């Protein structure tokens, strides 16, 4: 629980607050931008919620905060609100943001694809019982796709509970923690997981970074590609490139050959770029990276 005694001075007065344990992961700021922003290198409450919708968004951010750094001075039905997770990214598409971000993944987002062919969990949220029960209600997890070695979190617990098959690129499976992954993919060429899912290796951030493209519309990018609200464009994390920046630029050029509607990253902001705009947006990113 967040500590009121640790409440940051940057918070505006009122019910919600962020305490000094915040790790600046950005989760609350994109989940509830009306309430949270950044000041002094960490998140803060810049405006108290003014209606039911804003309160709900702020509470969902509270539940999803990986370090439990968000608190309230009054009581709220947090458990009831948390039942809304996972949240649909687009109504009727079967793609959900799980919430419950994990501190061990520095607050990375994870997503659940719900479909008749078998549900796919993309990267790992916290193994929180309320979320696990909700995922069970949605049909469980058949495949756990790990975009790269950084954001694996509670993968072993999800594997044990749902008896799902984990998928990861072999180049990122060299740690003891990941040695038991059931399905290892190889190479830099795209491959079909099934009729709806294409896996696209994009080495750069890590050697085995891989994107997942679902139905030619939803691109799950891990830490390879995200939206920058400051730059107002797609971009990559130069300061968090653990393998090779030039290799990542080359991967980005190959990824620019694909059309997609949504970019759903682990870190950074998600964005609906639109299939017709995807190529131009990707070229902006490549030009920025090269520059």
């Amino acid at each position: 629980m967040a500590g009121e005694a640790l409440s940051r001075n940057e918070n505006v007065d009122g019910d919600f607050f962020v305490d000094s344990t915040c790790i600046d992961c950005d989760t609350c700021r994109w989940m509830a931008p009306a309430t949270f922003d950044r000041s002094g290198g960490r998140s803060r409450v810049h405006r108290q919620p003014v209606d039911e919708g804003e309160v709900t968004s702020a509470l969902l951010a509270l539940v999803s905060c990986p370090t439990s750094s968000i608190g309230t001075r009054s009581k709220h039905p947090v458990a009831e609100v948390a039942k809304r997770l996972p949240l649909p990214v687009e109504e009727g598409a079967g793609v959900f943001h799980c919430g419950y971000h994990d501190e061990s993944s520095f607050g990375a987002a994870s997503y659940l694809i719900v479909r008749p062919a078998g549900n796919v969990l993309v990267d790992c949220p916290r193994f929180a019982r309320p979320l696990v029960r909700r995922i069970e209600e949605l049909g469980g997890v058949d495949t756990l796709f790990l975009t790269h070695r950084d954001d694996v979190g509670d993968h072993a617990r999800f594997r044990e509970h749902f008896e799902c098959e984990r998928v990861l690129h072999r180049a990122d499976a060299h740690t003891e923690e990941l040695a038991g992954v059931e399905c290892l993919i190889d190479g830099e060429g795209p491959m079909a997981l099934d009729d709806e899912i294409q896996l696209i290796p994009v080495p750069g951030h890590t050697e085995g970074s891989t994107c997942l493209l679902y139905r030619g519309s939803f691109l799950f990018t891990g830490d390879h590609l995200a939206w920058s609200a400051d730059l107002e464009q797609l971009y990559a994390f130069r300061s968090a490139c653990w393998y090779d920046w030039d290799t990542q630029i080359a991967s980005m050029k190959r990824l620019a050959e694909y059309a997609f509607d949504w970019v759903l990253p682990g870190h950074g902001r998600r964005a609906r770029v639109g299939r017709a705009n995807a190529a131009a947006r990707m070229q902006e990113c490549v030009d920025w990276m090269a520059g």
Side-chain angles (χ1 to χ4, degrees):
M1 296 293 291
E4 189 171 351
L6 300 176
S7 177
R8 303 191 66 223
N9 293 330
E10 289 85 351
N11 295 312
V12 300
D13 292 336
D15 188 16
F16 282 80
F17 64 89
V18 177
D19 75 15
S20 59
T21 63
C22 170
I23 58 172
D24 194 31
C25 73
D26 196 36
T27 296
C28 66
R29 302 196 294 264
W30 64 261
M31 288 190 70
T35 300
F36 304 100
D37 70 1
R38 189 174 191 265
S39 178
R42 283 178 284 188
S43 294
R44 63 154 183 179
V45 174
H46 71 91
R47 185 174 70 89
Q48 293 293 333
V50 297
D51 57 32
E52 183 180 352
E54 289 186 2
V55 170
T56 296
S57 293
L59 290 175
L60 289 169
L62 181 154
V63 170
S64 297
C65 175
T67 50
S68 300
S69 300
I70 301 171
T72 62
R73 295 179 172 88
S74 63
K75 290 186 178 180
H76 292 271
V78 176
E80 237 0 83
V81 170
K83 291 179 181 179
R84 301 189 182 201
L85 292 164
L87 297 169
V89 173
E90 179 183 295
E91 290 297 335
V95 176
F96 298 83
H97 167 222
C98 291
Y100 288 95
H101 295 203
D102 194 334
E103 184 178 7
S104 68
S105 299
F106 199 74
S110 59
Y111 293 90
L112 180 69
I113 303 171
V114 176
R115 62 190 191 132
N119 294 353
V120 180
L121 183 61
V122 181
D123 290 329
C124 276
R126 296 196 307 272
F127 192 85
R129 289 295 175 181
L131 175 63
V132 170
R133 286 194 293 269
R134 182 66 183 126
I135 291 176
E136 288 171 345
E137 293 170 0
L138 290 169
V141 179
D142 293 274
T143 302
L144 171 50
F145 176 71
L146 302 170
T147 58
H148 64 298
R149 59 180 166 83
D150 291 349
D151 298 340
V152 297
D154 283 335
H155 72 99
R157 297 185 69 184
F158 278 94
R159 155 66 182 169
E160 180 180 6
H161 183 83
F162 288 106
E163 299 182 347
C164 53
E165 181 180 69
R166 292 166 294 182
V167 179
L168 175 69
H169 198 287
R170 189 181 302 275
D172 270 12
H174 47 72
T175 66
E176 183 178 350
E177 179 187 16
L178 295 168
V181 168
E182 291 73 30
C183 180
L184 297 177
I185 62 175
D186 293 283
E188 293 189 7
M191 61 205 77
L193 187 63
D194 55 37
D195 290 343
E196 296 182 312
I197 291 177
Q198 191 168 24
L199 305 182
I200 308 168
V202 285
H205 171 70
T206 64
E207 188 175 1
S209 288
T210 305
C211 292
L212 183 153
L213 182 60
Y214 175 55
R215 291 183 174 175
S217 183
F218 295 89
L219 184 69
F220 300 87
T221 59
D223 290 354
H224 176 71
L225 176 70
W227 178 265
S228 168
D230 294 331
L231 297 173
E232 296 185 342
Q233 67 172 58
L234 295 171
Y235 82 125
F237 304 98
R238 178 64 184 265
S239 62
C241 180
W242 312 135
Y243 180 58
D244 184 77
W245 186 247
D246 288 337
T247 300
Q248 190 165 354
I249 293 174
S251 295
M252 205 71 78
K253 290 178 179 178
R254 291 196 301 274
L255 188 61
E257 298 172 4
Y258 294 83
F260 46 84
D261 194 17
W262 282 91
V263 171
L264 303 176
H267 286 112
R269 305 292 178 96
R270 70 190 187 206
R272 187 171 194 172
V273 297
R275 291 175 62 87
N277 301 319
R281 287 299 194 181
M282 288 298 300
Q283 189 59 52
E284 289 175 353
C285 177
V286 170
D287 292 343
W288 175 84
M289 291 176 72

